[in-house]
């Protein structure tokens, strides 16, 4: 992959931390948020088995400059070293298929990475149900059926939610809910809800 735009002035070497997990669960999300609060100047390389665009939107504000899927490390033993060196020089790296808009967000300067939504706004139970269904890939009709409501009711509820959070899409609502730790339940297996 060609090097991306620099996040640091030329010649400046950034400190790099490496975090890993099976997927971006609540524990990893909270660890990244806590690490960023304590060390905002340290770039993060994240190694995960599974990650989606909504996960990246949720963790991008916490200094994540590179993501490596665990499967990418198989057969490429020097990949992590290369990625760390790229990040240390101010570059970034995302695996293919995670979306150009997320790639551009992560590539921007840290002060330009703004989280979606207004922090601290609590979602009503119905709103949270809509967001969880959107995170699972259900559209308005599927959510309406699941929630036993009309598609028009769900459409209007989404518009109200967009206005409250200051966003324009359900993807941004999912990102907000993920960042605030609202997409995970306390089930024993720790899987996202």
């Amino acid at each position: 992959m060609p090097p991306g735009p620099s996040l640091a002035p030329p010649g400046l070497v950034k400190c790099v931390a490496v975090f890993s997990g099976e997927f971006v669960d609540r524990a990893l999300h909270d660890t990244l948020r806590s690490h960023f609060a304590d060390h905002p100047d340290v770039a993060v390389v994240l190694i995960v088995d599974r990650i989606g665009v909504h996960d990246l939107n949720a963790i991008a504000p916490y200094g994540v400059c590179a993501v490596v899927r665990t499967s990418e490390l198989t057969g490429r033993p020097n990949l992590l070293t290369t990625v760390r060196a790229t990040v240390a020089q101010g570059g970034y790296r995302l695996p293919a298929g995670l979306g150009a808009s997320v790639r551009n967000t992560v590539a921007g300067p840290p002060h330009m990475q703004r989280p979606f939504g207004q922090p601290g706004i609590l979602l009503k139970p119905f709103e949270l149900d809509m967001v969880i269904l959107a995170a699972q890939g259900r559209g308005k009709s599927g959510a309406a059926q699941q929630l036993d409501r009309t598609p028009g009711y769900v459409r209007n509820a989404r518009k109200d939610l967009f206005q409250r959070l200051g966003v324009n899409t359900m993807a941004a609502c999912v990102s907000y809910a993920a960042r605030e730790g609202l997409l995970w339940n306390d089930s024993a297996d720790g899987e996202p809800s």
Side-chain angles (χ1 to χ4, degrees):
M1 168 181 284
S6 179
L7 296 177
L12 178 65
V13 177
K14 297 178 81 172
C15 292
V16 179
V18 177
F19 289 88
S20 64
E22 185 178 339
F23 53 88
V24 181
D25 60 359
R26 184 178 197 150
L28 182 57
H29 180 269
D30 290 346
T31 299
L32 290 169
R33 179 172 32 193
S34 175
H35 179 267
F36 183 74
D38 294 339
H39 309 285
D41 56 333
V42 175
V44 172
V45 174
L46 182 62
I47 301 171
V48 290
D49 290 335
R50 300 185 318 257
I51 190 163
V53 172
H54 65 280
D55 296 320
L56 284 172
N57 280 329
I59 62 174
Y62 305 131
V64 177
C65 294
V67 176
V68 178
R69 288 192 172 113
T70 308
S71 60
E72 292 182 289
L73 296 175
T74 306
R76 295 176 69 186
N78 294 330
L79 179 61
L80 184 56
T81 304
T82 304
V83 170
R84 285 185 69 163
T86 300
V87 169
Q89 294 301 320
Y92 73 98
R93 187 221 188 252
L94 292 177
L98 287 175
S101 63
V102 175
R103 187 179 312 278
N104 293 337
T105 298
V106 174
H111 65 279
M112 295 300 290
Q113 295 176 1
R114 294 190 182 102
F116 292 107
Q118 304 298 319
I121 294 177
L122 296 177
L123 300 183
K124 299 171 187 172
F126 183 78
E127 293 171 336
L128 184 57
D129 289 342
M130 284 191 312
V131 171
I132 290 170
L133 290 171
Q136 294 171 350
R138 301 214 180 147
K140 281 182 262 192
S141 298
Q145 184 178 19
Q146 183 74 25
L147 297 170
D148 197 26
R149 303 286 182 164
T150 66
Y153 183 90
V154 171
R155 182 182 58 246
N156 290 334
R158 283 181 172 197
K159 285 180 185 178
D160 292 342
L161 180 59
F162 294 168
Q163 186 175 17
R164 283 185 55 230
L165 293 180
V167 298
N168 296 319
T169 65
M170 277 309 288
C173 290
V174 170
S175 174
Y176 170 83
R179 187 190 81 232
E180 295 295 309
L182 301 175
L183 291 186
W184 295 277
N185 60 28
D186 294 326
S187 62
D189 60 5
E191 287 287 323
S193 56

